[in-house]
Amino acid sequence: MTSELRRTTIEADSSDELQPDPSLPPTAVPERELERERKWTWPKILLWAAVALLGGIAWVMIAIVRGETVNAIWFVFAAVCSYLIAYRFYSKVIQRFIARPDDRRATPAEVKADGKDYVPTDRRVLFGHHFAAIAGAGPLVGPVLAAQMGFLPGTIWIIVGVILAGAVQDYLVLFFSMRRGGRTIGQMARDELGKIGGTAAMVASLLIMLIIVAILALVVVNALGESPWGVFSVSMTIPIALFMGVYLRYLRPGRITEVSLIGFVLLIAAIVAGGWVAATPWGAEIFHLDRTTIAWGIIVYGFIAAVLPVWLLLAPRDYLSTFMKIGVIVMLAGAVVVVRPEITVPAFSEFAGGELGPVFSGPLFPFLFVTIACGALSGFHALIASGTTPKLIEKERQTRFIGYGGMLMESFVAIMALVAAISLDRGIYFAMNSSAAATGGTIEGAVAFVNGLGLMGVNLTPDMLSSAAAAVGEESIVSRTGGAPTLALGLAHIMQQFLGGAAMAGFWYHFAIMFEALFILTAVDAGTRVARFMLQDAIGNVFPKFKNTAWRPGVWISTAIMVAGWGYILILGVTDPLGGINTFFPLFGIANQLLAVIALAVVLAIVVKRGRSYFTWLWIIAVPLGFAAVVTITASMFKIFSPVPQVGYWANNVAFRDALAAGETSFGTATSVEAMEAVVRNTSVQGTLSIVFVTLAIIVLITSILATIKALRNGGGENHEDPPVASRRFAPAGLIATPAEKTIEREWAALPADHQPESVRH
């Protein structure tokens, strides 16, 4: 078999001139062997038939066979089976007919290896890095807020959306960025769409990044506000991460598993200690912080984290958060299978058919699809997939595992967040997610507000809210908006039945808060750092010295500008009388999905320029691009032009301005002149940003369509890929090496040490 592996060639579009070094083992699995692995056998047929049958039954139970309740176990089975089928079949269609990877070709990590930005990294480690970077607040918060509409719309969009849209975008942006030396989506837009489209894409990416990071931080603020236990525990993650960074750098270099176990133990200790500290008079006084104070703390933290060396804080937090993120979600899924909680939320709620709702306002279409952003489709991922990840990939075929597979994992996070939210009593859910302006921030006000909604089967009592808060060690759970507290309570509700009983409810709640803060702060760290890189590149076109990331004044100035931008929006959200997350999250979702439209538009132009053999498969990109464009542009039009104040930013702005001009001292849910002025200020910012975002996205979309039409007429277009270079290394494509891959790995392992390629093996 060894000689056959060496002799067989691989079909490639533009790399036929690549000549591997005959003194080295194969750098790729031969096409003949890949074809042999694709052949169907009876065990394979029976396995995939069973997966399809279980998934089909689960979908029928969720969507069709519905009584008064539905068991949560079917959500787990429907998601997992759908993901497995999509990864095994649909992603391979994309790989075979659109990406067409060639492992004989060296990746940028090999060609440009510098030990800093370009480093060939083990695929399993890189999967963790990539997942930690893309998985922020979106898959946690969006599904929780969207539960207002019922469980079925969100479930369909999360699962079907990720398969046909989100994972497609992540995979192809990652692949084409890798083929272009790791260029950013903005630079690729400039190459493929010209100066106008490229400039619009760059500006949109910078502005949208501000919104994304601000909302990520706002979720943390809302989770920790007035919670001494949570503030102490999350604060302790910073010295823990710093210790891990020093441990890895100086004490025990490369001991990733070892330091992760130590970090996990320290995290559990921080959670337990948080309960003790919060119970003391001094602890309650020091760590009982209002939301504005916490917001300023996160702003300062964001600046420091972005300028510190990456190994000191960001990298150890990535390692630890990946273990936590995947481990907690898998644990929650296992608990759902064992506990099998019954879901009483209807498939379509009373708010699914109208424009107004206590959690967020707007009709199901298009607002469900922008509220559930990151769990199904996320433009933020395009920044990561064209940022650090393409500079670290060892082999081209690994892009499917990391890009498509990583996004499927994030979608599963979103499904579990939805299940946790809908497992709660509906009255408690609405009491937690309605703004303080609606509930008055009191138990009595929340009970009156929720019972006044006229929800079928809901009869909220003060004791239900006080008991739920006491069970998890909180003073109150009323108007704990932002999704994170709701997810934490839902997770605690399920996990206490699985492990520990009612006595462990407080531990599981604050464990979830810690988990969510780690989840989100990782994205705040990475987002601020990526935003700083983007701004340095932009300023560097005028002042070239800014492009040098080692020049400290440029680093500090760029970081300060970006932190000031998202920090300003964060403070607006914290002080918003209408409930910051409730009004700002739709803007976050729209901005995020508009960035996805930009990314898919760039990918469409790239693929059509590759030649006529790709034209048949353009629908794989055009369908999600068209849907995302319609959804986001429609949502933008609602927010800009809707005459309903609860939906339209400018309608709300005018209503409050008129009230102030008339001398009113309270209006709607604002109970003071200061609150009314805050609404006017916030809606002005939101409305202006909505106009800017949609205009830039439409410019990019139009230039992409024009470039696509031109390429269709010409049978292709200019190729901006880096020249192919023959690879001198080998690595498996997926999580588990195939028999053919193991054979080649043994050949490489048998080489003398001085012939072994340098790599990062954790």
Side-chain angles (χ1 to χ4, degrees), residues 161-499:
V162 73
I163 291 170
L164 299 180
V168 174
Q169 175 212 249
D170 289 19
Y171 177 19
L172 292 179
V173 169
L174 175 59
F175 181 83
F176 290 126
S177 175
M178 175 202 65
R179 276 285 178 95
R180 287 158 174 75
R183 290 175 212 163
T184 63
I185 191 68
Q187 186 58 52
M188 287 196 290
R190 192 174 179 85
D191 293 340
E192 306 298 336
L193 307 181
K195 188 174 182 180
I196 295 176
T199 302
M202 286 182 175
V203 174
S205 299
L206 272 172
L207 293 177
I208 289 172
M209 179 63 86
L210 295 180
I211 290 292
I212 290 173
V213 178
I215 298 301
L216 294 175
L218 182 57
V219 174
V220 179
V221 171
N222 285 341
L224 300 181
E226 291 88 35
S227 175
W229 191 340
V231 169
F232 174 84
S233 297
V234 172
S235 297
M236 289 303 297
T237 66
I238 297 174
I240 291 172
L242 293 172
F243 165 75
M244 292 172 64
V246 173
Y247 191 94
L248 280 174
R249 182 81 170 185
Y250 298 112
L251 302 179
R252 301 275 286 174
R255 305 284 183 168
I256 302 300
T257 303
E258 182 179 305
V259 76
S260 297
L261 291 174
I262 293 173
F264 180 77
V265 171
L266 291 175
L267 276 177
I268 298 300
I271 299 172
V272 175
W276 298 338
V277 170
T280 64
W282 62 268
E285 181 180 352
I286 294 174
F287 295 103
H288 189 282
L289 304 178
D290 61 67
R291 287 170 168 82
T292 303
T293 303
I294 295 173
W296 281 108
I298 291 178
I299 290 170
V300 173
Y301 163 81
F303 177 86
I304 295 173
V307 299
L308 283 176
V310 69
W311 60 265
L312 184 57
L313 182 60
L314 186 61
R317 188 184 289 281
D318 277 352
Y319 290 129
L320 186 58
S321 65
T322 297
F323 283 107
M324 289 284 287
K325 289 173 180 180
I326 296 178
V328 170
I329 292 303
V330 171
M331 180 178 65
L332 179 58
V336 168
V337 172
V338 173
V339 175
R340 294 185 298 166
E342 290 291 329
I343 305 300
T344 59
V345 173
F348 293 90
S349 77
E350 298 86 344
F351 304 106
E355 283 195 4
L356 304 181
V359 179
F360 68 91
S361 295
L364 190 150
F365 182 90
F367 284 97
L368 174 87
F369 303 96
V370 296
T371 300
I372 301 179
C374 299
L377 175 64
S378 173
F380 176 69
H381 296 185
L383 302 180
I384 304 300
S386 63
T388 55
T389 308
K391 299 177 180 67
L392 305 174
I393 288 182
E394 286 184 290
K395 305 297 290 184
E396 289 197 346
R397 289 176 64 234
Q398 293 175 352
T399 52
R400 171 174 163 262
F401 166 59
I402 294 167
Y404 201 96
M407 182 55 190
L408 291 182
M409 188 68 219
E410 175 160 342
S411 179
F412 190 52
V413 172
I415 280 292
M416 297 317 301
L418 178 65
V419 169
I422 61 179
S423 68
L424 295 175
D425 176 85
R426 292 188 76 202
I428 292 177
Y429 167 83
F430 283 108
M432 293 185 71
N433 289 283
S434 300
S435 70
T439 64
T442 65
I443 289 179
E444 293 74 17
V447 169
F449 175 74
V450 172
N451 288 337
L453 294 174
L455 302 174
M456 185 177 298
V458 172
N459 183 24
L460 188 63
T461 64
D463 182 63
M464 292 170 65
L465 291 175
S466 58
S467 298
V472 295
E474 290 291 295
E475 292 183 7
S476 173
I477 58 171
V478 173
S479 295
R480 296 296 300 277
T481 57
T486 302
L487 174 58
L489 187 64
L491 186 146
H493 173 69
I494 294 171
M495 289 304 302
Q496 71 173 16
Q497 300 175 64
F498 176 61
L499 191 64

Side-chain angles (χ1 to χ4, degrees), residues 592-680:
N592 192 32
Q593 306 298 59
L594 284 172
L595 189 54
V597 170
I598 291 171
L600 288 168
V602 173
V603 168
L604 180 67
I606 290 173
V607 173
V608 74
K609 289 181 180 182
R610 298 187 102 192
R612 296 186 185 279
S613 63
Y614 293 84
F615 291 178
T616 304
W617 306 99
L618 287 177
W619 64 268
I620 291 177
I621 304 153
V623 168
L625 171 59
F627 182 78
V630 170
V631 163
T632 50
I633 293 173
T634 302
S636 297
M637 295 303 106
F638 266 104
K639 302 308 286 186
I640 296 169
F641 296 110
S642 175
V644 181
Q646 295 91 330
V647 177
Y649 288 135
W650 295 111
N652 208 7
N653 181 276
V654 170
F656 275 83
R657 270 204 336 247
D658 290 347
L660 283 170
E664 301 286 346
T665 57
S666 63
F667 183 75
T669 54
T671 56
S672 67
V673 172
E674 291 77 13
M676 295 167 66
E677 291 173 343
V679 173
V680 172

Side-chain angles (χ1 to χ4, degrees), residues 212-213 216-217 220 298 301-302 306 314 380 519-529 566:
I212 290 173
V213 178
L216 294 175
V220 179
I298 291 178
Y301 163 81
L314 186 61
F380 176 69
F519 216 105
I520 298 163
L521 283 176
T522 300
V524 172
D525 292 349
T528 303
R529 191 175 290 265
W566 66 254

